[in-house]
Amino acid sequence: MCGIVGYIGPQDATPIVLDGLRRLEYRGYDSAGIACARAGAIDIRRAEGKLSRLEELLRCDPLSGAPGIGHTRWATHGRPSETNAHPHKAGSFVVVHNGIIENYLELKERLRGQGHHFCSETDTEIIAHLIEQHAKEGADFEGAVRKALGEVRGAYAVAILCADEPDRLIAAKQGSPLVVGQGKGEFFVASDIPAMLSHTREMIFLEDGELVVFTADAMRITTLAGAPVAKTPKIITWSPVMAEKGGYRHFMLKEIHEQPRAIADTLAGRLREEHSSVFLEEMKLDEGWLRGLERIYIVACGTSWHAGLVGKFLLEKHARIPVEVDIASEFRYRDPLVTPRTLTVVISQSGETADTLAALREAHGKGGKVVAVCNVVESSIARESDGVIYTHAGPEIGVASTKAFTTQLVALVLFTLHVGQVRGTLDLQTRRALVDALVGLPRKVEACLELDGAIEKLAHELFHARDFLYLGRGNQYPIALEGALKLKEISYIHAEGYPAGEMKHGPIALIDEDLPVVVLAPHNDTFEKVAANLEEVQARGGQVVAVTDRGAGELAAKVDTVLTVPATVDELMPVLTSIPMQLLAYHIAVLKGTDVDQPRNLAKSVTVE
C-alpha cells in the first residue's frame, strides 16, 4: 500500500505534494519521491527511508514547478532503495503507482526485446516504458497512457506527467483507491482524502476503469476506452483527524473495515487460477530441500501465535508434515530440536519483535532454515530469513491487531498450498477448491462486516460482564483464543479461550447467568459435538452467543444470539469467524470508555525481550 499525491494549478507543486505525502505516510514509509514539470522538463527527487529524508534532500537540492506528483512507498516489488523509489521515468514520461502489476514480468521481457532498459526492480517502471513505447509508435500522451493501461493486468492507481505536454496531468485507477480534489482553478489527486483536505473539501471518487485528464483550469473524466463519465463532487465534512481515520471513530474500526482490501492485496499476483496453484515470489527455498523436510516449527507471539496455531492445522492436513507451534519467548530457552531438515516459520506483524527475532537466530544457529510471515518490507526479521511471505495489510496503527492477523492467516494458506504443491501432497481438486475460495474471500469478509450493527447492539447487552468464555474446536480453537485476547486487550475484561471439548475439565464450573459464552460453531466435522457443548452451557444458565455459517437453524433454540458468517471451505473459516470477534471486542471497549487504539500497557511492536 503506497501513497500518491498529484497537483496541477497556479501554485508551486512541491510544498503541496509534500504536505499531502506527510498526511499519507501511514500508507508507506520505506522511500519517497517527487517530480515537477518546469520549462519543458521534469525534475525528480527521491530518497530511501521516511519522508523526512526526502525533505532533507529538497532543502539541499530544491525543486519547484507545476504540475507535480509524489509518492510514499511501501515496497512490494523490489527492496526499499532510492533506485526503486517512485517516481519512475522512461523517455518523457514519469509515473507514480500504487498497486501490483501481475503480468509485469511478461511485459518487461517484451519491452526488453524492443530495446528498453530498466533501472529498477519494480513493476511500476514497466508502466512508464509501455507509455514510452506507444508514444514512439505515434500515440499522443493521452493515447499512449490509454494503450499502456489496457495492456497491464492487476491493480493500479497512477498519476503520470509528460515533459512534452507539461500543462497536463493524467491519473487512472483499477483496484486501488484514487480520489480527485476540486479546487478553484486547481486540482488535486491522491490515494486518500487526508492528502487534500487542507486545500479543498470537494472530492470526486474515481471508480475502477476510469481515467482523468487534468489541465490547470479543467478536468475530463472518461472510461479507459474513452467514454465520457459524469461525476458530481461530494463535500467532505470530516475534521482532519477524522479524515486520517477515514471517517471512522478509531483506527481499529477503520482497520477492521480495511480487511477486504488487505486480504485482496495479500493475494494479488500470487494466485494462478488457471493452474490452481500459487506463486510466492519471495519464497527462495529450494524445492528439493522442501521435499525432504522433516519438521516445521511455527514461532510467534500474541495474536501472531494464534495465527500459527491455525497454520498447524493447515500444514499437517495438506503438507503431511509434523508441525509444532511455539511461543517465541519460550522457543530458544528449551533447546529445540532443529536440524538441517527443519524449517522454522516466524510470524511478526512488525518484523522487529525481539523474541521472534531471537527465535529466528536460534533456528539459524542450529542449521535450520527460516521463512518469515511479515507485514513490513526490509524489517529485521524479513532481512534475516531465508524466505519471506509479506502480508500486504499496510500500516496497522491500532495496537490490537486485526487486519494483520487475518492477512497472516491468508499468508499461511498460501504457504500451505506452496508446500503441498512441492511435496505432492495436495491433489488438483483440493488445490482448485482452495484457490477458488481464496479468490472469493475478500467479498465474504465484506459480508461479515455487515454484522457490525447487530454486534454493536449485542455489545450493549454484554459490556457489563466481568468475565467472558470463548469456545471453539479444531481450527476454531485459536480463534476462540484470539477473540478472548482482543476483548482483554482493549476492554480490560477478563476473558479466556478454551477448546470446546475441554469445557467439562474445568471451565464449566464458572458458567452461570452472569457469564457470556461465545461459541464458534461453523458446520464442519465437529459441529455436532460443539452443539452438544452449547446445550451444556445453556443448561447452566450461561448467555450464549454462537457464530456459525448457515443461519440460526438448530442453534436458535440453544443460544441467546446467533451471528451468521458466509460459508466457505473449512481452511478459510477462521478468517471469517475472526471478524465478529474483532467487532464485539471493539464495541464493548467503546461502551467501557477505554482507549481503543492505544490500550494501557501495550505497544504496537515489542522490540525488547
Side-chain angles (χ1 to χ4, degrees):
M1 183 169 72
C2 307
I4 289 174
V5 181
Y7 170 77
I8 186 166
Q11 302 184 64
D12 182 15
T14 297
I16 294 171
V17 172
L18 274 178
D19 178 67
L21 291 177
R22 198 173 298 112
R23 297 174 190 276
L24 292 185
E25 194 171 13
Y26 70 91
R27 297 182 67 91
Y29 34 77
D30 58 42
S31 61
I34 185 169
C36 291
R38 184 175 61 172
I42 298 175
D43 291 331
I44 298 173
R45 304 287 186 273
R46 305 185 302 188
E48 181 183 354
K50 293 190 176 182
L51 186 62
S52 57
R53 296 284 297 277
L54 178 63
E55 292 172 323
E56 289 172 13
L57 175 63
L58 288 168
R59 280 193 287 272
C60 300
D61 189 8
L63 179 67
S64 62
I69 55 177
H71 187 272
T72 181
R73 183 173 186 246
W74 191 80
T76 52
H77 291 82
R79 61 187 174 83
S81 68
E82 189 275 332
T83 302
N84 288 331
H86 300 214
H88 289 285
K89 183 178 182 181
S92 301
F93 304 96
V94 177
V95 177
V96 293
H97 163 235
N98 179 22
I100 295 176
I101 305 305
E102 295 175 4
N103 59 335
Y104 84 101
L105 289 174
E106 168 192 329
L107 293 170
K108 190 172 189 176
E109 197 62 32
R110 191 190 87 199
L111 288 162
R112 276 183 173 146
Q114 294 171 316
H116 292 259
H117 299 282
F118 295 88
C119 301
S120 76
E121 303 166 305
T122 70
D123 56 342
T124 301
E125 192 181 356
I126 275 74
I127 301 173
H129 283 273
L130 273 176
I131 297 169
E132 183 192 24
Q133 181 62 34
H134 286 295
K136 286 179 178 178
E137 294 168 0
D140 63 6
F141 179 23
E142 183 178 337
V145 170
R146 290 186 188 278
K147 288 182 177 181
L149 295 180
E151 291 189 77
V152 302
R153 192 170 64 243
Y156 60 78
V158 292
I160 308 161
L161 297 178
C162 175
D164 299 329
E165 299 186 41
D167 60 340
R168 290 174 183 260
L169 165 64
I170 296 179
K173 80 172 290 283
Q174 178 66 46
S176 291
L178 204 61
V179 185
V180 171
Q182 184 170 291
K184 294 180 179 178
E186 58 187 0
F187 295 97
F188 310 82
V189 63
S191 304
D192 208 349
I193 292 168
M196 305 173 285
L197 203 56
S198 60
H199 303 283
T200 180
R201 292 181 178 267
E202 295 186 29
M203 305 290 175
I204 295 172
F205 297 84
L206 297 180
E207 302 294 334
D208 284 352
E210 292 180 350
L211 179 145
V212 55
V213 179
F214 299 96
T215 60
D217 56 0
M219 73 172 173
R220 174 169 46 88
I221 302 174
T222 65
T223 65
L224 197 59
V229 176
K231 293 275 189 179
T232 302
K234 294 185 178 180
I235 306 301
I236 303 300
T237 58
W238 304 334
S239 69
V241 171
M242 286 296 287
E244 290 174 10
K245 296 175 182 175
Y248 293 99
R249 184 172 177 182
H250 297 96
F251 281 110
M252 182 181 177
L253 186 60
K254 177 177 184 277
E255 289 156 5
I256 289 171
H257 282 267
E258 285 176 340
Q259 287 174 112
R261 190 273 313 154
I263 290 169
D265 284 355
T266 299
L267 294 172
R270 288 169 164 171
L271 297 179
R272 299 290 184 263
E273 294 179 63
E274 65 276 19
H275 302 299
S276 298
S277 63
V278 299
F279 172 67
L280 298 178
E281 182 182 15
E282 308 97 340
M283 273 286 295
K284 297 181 172 67
L285 296 181
D286 178 75
E287 292 190 358
W289 184 85
L290 276 176
R291 280 190 284 271
L293 199 56
E294 294 178 348
R295 182 200 302 262
I296 294 176
Y297 288 109
I298 300 178
V299 181
C301 302
T303 286
S304 296
W305 181 69
H306 298 155
L309 292 173
V310 176
K312 174 182 172 71
F313 285 96
L314 291 165
L315 286 161
E316 290 193 339
K317 179 178 180 179
H318 292 302
R320 306 308 298 160
I321 188 167
V323 179
E324 295 184 37
V325 185
D326 273 79
I327 293 172
S329 57
E330 298 292 327
F331 181 74
R332 68 185 174 121
Y333 293 109
R334 67 174 184 83
D335 194 17
L337 298 173
V338 176
T339 74
R341 291 183 177 271
T342 300
L343 175 65
T344 301
V345 179
V346 295
I347 309 175
S348 169
Q349 188 282 139
S350 68
E352 303 293 345
T353 310
D355 289 316
T356 308
L357 186 57
L360 181 161
R361 291 167 178 166
E362 177 75 9
H364 266 163
K366 290 178 175 289
K369 292 189 182 296
V370 179
V371 167
V373 175
C374 182
N375 192 40
V376 180
V377 175
E378 286 296 294
S379 58
S380 297
I381 285 173
R383 288 196 308 272
E384 294 191 28
S385 296
D386 299 290
V388 61
I389 306 171
Y390 286 114
T391 57
H392 296 308
E396 190 176 63
I397 296 168
V399 167
S401 182
T402 52
K403 61 179 180 173
F405 174 66
T406 50
T407 53
Q408 287 169 354
L409 295 178
V410 169
L412 288 166
V413 175
L414 293 172
F415 177 66
T416 299
L417 276 164
H418 176 76
V419 177
Q421 286 169 202
V422 171
R423 291 172 62 85
T425 55
L426 261 175
D427 60 75
L428 179 61
Q429 183 178 355
T430 304
R431 293 205 320 263
R432 182 176 294 126
L434 284 170
V435 170
D436 289 348
L438 283 167
V439 170
L441 186 61
R443 292 190 300 274
K444 293 190 175 185
V445 173
E446 287 178 355
C448 292
L449 293 170
E450 293 175 7
L451 293 168
D452 192 20
I455 293 173
E456 183 177 11
K457 182 178 178 183
L458 174 64
H460 281 270
E461 301 172 16
L462 302 178
F463 81 99
H464 291 297
R466 295 182 59 187
D467 303 278
F468 271 71
L469 182 63
Y470 289 74
L471 301 175
R473 293 189 80 129
N475 63 11
Q476 293 300 314
Y477 163 54
I479 307 308
L481 292 173
E482 175 63 12
L485 177 62
K486 281 291 153 284
L487 190 68
K488 283 184 282 195
E489 283 181 316
I490 62 172
S491 74
Y492 316 145
I493 294 174
H494 173 255
E496 296 293 337
Y498 266 87
E502 282 290 292
M503 186 182 67
K504 287 180 283 190
H505 296 272
I508 197 167
L510 301 174
I511 296 173
D512 60 20
E513 63 276 5
D514 296 321
L515 181 71
V517 181
V518 180
V519 183
L520 300 160
H523 287 74
N524 56 24
D525 292 344
T526 61
F527 174 77
E528 291 182 359
K529 295 185 182 298
V530 174
N533 295 138
L534 283 171
E535 291 180 353
E536 292 166 344
V537 173
Q538 188 189 46
R540 287 156 180 82
Q543 304 174 57
V544 184
V545 177
V547 179
T548 189
D549 61 342
R550 294 184 192 168
E554 64 267 47
L555 295 179
K558 301 177 182 179
V559 305
D560 299 278
T561 304
V562 176
L563 300 172
T564 305
V565 300
T568 188
V569 296
D570 188 56
E571 291 83 352
L572 299 185
M573 189 56 71
V575 176
L576 301 186
T577 54
S578 296
I579 310 301
M581 302 299 95
Q582 297 168 356
L583 289 168
L584 182 61
Y586 170 78
H587 286 298
I588 288 176
V590 169
L591 291 170
K592 297 283 286 186
T594 64
D595 187 339
V596 172
D597 287 330
Q598 295 180 319
R600 67 189 183 203
N601 304 331
L602 295 177
K604 185 64 189 169
S605 177
V606 182
T607 56
V608 293
E609 186 174 1

